[in-house]
Amino acid sequence: MDTEDTSKLPTHIAIIMDGNGRWAQARGQERREGHRAGVEALRRIVKDSSDLGVHHLTVFSFSTENWGRPRNEVSFLMSLLERYIESDLADLHAEGVRVRVIGRRDGLSDKICRLIDRAESLTANNNRLFLQIAFNYGGREELADAAARLARRAANGTLDPESINGDVLSAELLTAGMPNPDLIIRTSGESRLSNFMLWQGAYSELYFTDVLWPDFTREHMQAAIAHYAERERRFGLISASGDAD
Ligand code: FPP
């Protein structure tokens, strides 16, 4: 399927960027070199997404579970986000990219929080590509936090509990205003969601590839988009041929 058939182009692609450590180990390098190469792959894919006509991109770059990694790896990943925003923000803004960082703020340094705020406010009106960076993110935590906020509003009388439905919950999530991902890609041969976009990914097409994240290129992205274009999404209904979901 030609990826230029824009009717079959996913509006929102979400990526679990996995395999940095194995990429480095295969080269006899330290894991941090894999993460560094992972940032380079991210830079390329942000640009490729815009060029390919994808309007929303979410990337998983630090999970709530990643705090359990060795301290020096955790602080290296923190510094990577810091440096990525510091070095790339002006270019992202010039290229019309809107940046949003989703995840819990607790545990992040004041400096990172300030950089995130600056990136989000500077780029708030851009509309070529909406880039969501999931950092200190966990799908269950996102849902639990949203439920707690709704419960507090119900308890203080500003929200009628009977009015709570899927739309109300969606609007309370960190991804509010962003369409659900049409396609979720995971690199490095693992076939799990690992607490990523659990609510938003309910009907996403899943695409797993053995390619390690630092090796992921525009061609791999096009292959994933072509796979998506061949799928028929039924959202629990039946297909034109009468097959049930
Ligand atoms: C998974 O690989 C990757 C991560 C936990 C971090 C992903 C981070 C990047 C791609 C770069 C960071 C980008 C920003 C903007 C901060 P892994 O370490 O689990 O690899 P392994 O499974 O081979 O060990």
Side-chain angles (χ1 to χ4, degrees), residues 17-22 31 35 38-39 42 61 66 69 77 80-81 84 213:
M17 309 181 290
D18 198 6
N20 296 347
R22 277 163 284 166
R31 293 178 56 82
H35 295 315
V39 176
L42 174 61
S61 55
N66 286 155
R69 293 191 175 203
L77 287 166
L80 272 189
L81 177 65
Y84 176 68
W213 174 250

Side-chain angles (χ1 to χ4, degrees), residues 166-183:
D167 291 341
V168 171
L169 184 56
S170 284
E172 200 57 42
L173 297 177
L174 299 169
T175 51
M178 176 80 121
N180 291 324
D182 304 293
L183 173 66

Side-chain angles (χ1 to χ4, degrees), residues 11 20 30 36 49 61 64 80 87 94 98 119 123 154 178 182:
T11 295
N20 296 347
E30 290 194 36
R36 232 180 235 128
S49 296
S61 55
T64 45
L80 272 189
S87 62
R98 176 178 173 189
T123 63
M178 176 80 121
D182 304 293

Side-chain angles (χ1 to χ4, degrees), residues 34-110:
H35 295 315
R36 232 180 235 128
V39 176
E40 290 305 319
L42 174 61
R43 285 196 174 101
R44 291 194 303 267
I45 286 302
V46 167
K47 197 170 175 323
D48 292 337
S49 296
S50 276
D51 293 348
L52 292 169
V54 173
H55 291 297
H56 302 84
L57 177 70
T58 300
V59 291
F60 201 6
S61 55
F62 189 88
S63 73
T64 45
E65 289 78 20
N66 286 155
W67 290 107
R69 293 191 175 203
R71 231 177 39 200
N72 63 352
E73 182 165 346
V74 169
S75 50
F76 187 72
L77 287 166
M78 295 284 153
S79 73
L80 272 189
L81 177 65
E82 217 174 281
R83 279 183 272 162
Y84 176 68
I85 296 178
E86 281 176 334
S87 62
D88 288 39
L89 182 58
D91 285 347
L92 290 167
H93 184 43
E95 284 159 19
V97 178
R98 176 178 173 189
V99 179
R100 174 156 80 180
V101 179
I102 57 168
R104 283 184 173 164
R105 292 286 180 102
D106 36 307
L108 304 188
S109 70
D110 290 347

Side-chain angles (χ1 to χ4, degrees), residues 204-224:
S204 303
E205 289 294 331
L206 306 179
Y207 182 83
F208 301 108
T209 170
D210 288 340
V211 175
L212 303 175
W213 174 250
D215 291 329
F216 193 81
T217 61
R218 181 189 186 109
E219 287 67 38
H220 298 119
M221 180 89 148
Q222 284 176 305

Side-chain angles (χ1 to χ4, degrees), residues 99-228:
V99 179
R100 174 156 80 180
V101 179
I102 57 168
R104 283 184 173 164
R105 292 286 180 102
D106 36 307
L108 304 188
S109 70
D110 290 347
K111 183 176 179 198
I112 293 189
C113 292
R114 277 198 307 274
L115 281 168
I116 292 172
D117 289 343
R118 199 172 100 220
E120 291 183 343
S121 58
L122 177 71
T123 63
N125 296 318
N126 293 344
N127 57 18
R128 183 148 190 250
L129 174 74
F130 192 167
L131 171 66
Q132 257 184 167
I133 301 172
F135 196 88
N136 195 18
Y137 173 86
R140 288 180 175 175
E141 290 75 7
E142 177 188 36
L143 282 162
D145 290 349
R149 282 192 299 274
L150 292 175
R152 275 194 294 273
R153 280 163 46 200
N156 72 21
T158 58
L159 176 72
D160 174 5
E162 299 305 322
S163 72
I164 297 175
N165 58 22
D167 291 341
V168 171
L169 184 56
S170 284
E172 200 57 42
L173 297 177
L174 299 169
T175 51
M178 176 80 121
N180 291 324
D182 304 293
L183 173 66
I184 297 180
I185 299 172
R186 182 170 189 155
T187 58
S188 91
E190 310 291 352
S191 328
R192 295 186 288 274
L193 283 180
S194 300
N195 205 12
F196 183 55
M197 304 200 98
L198 298 181
W199 174 275
Q200 300 88 337
Y203 285 100
S204 303
E205 289 294 331
L206 306 179
Y207 182 83
F208 301 108
T209 170
D210 288 340
V211 175
L212 303 175
W213 174 250
D215 291 329
F216 193 81
T217 61
R218 181 189 186 109
E219 287 67 38
H220 298 119
M221 180 89 148
Q222 284 176 305
I225 292 172
H227 167 89
Y228 170 83

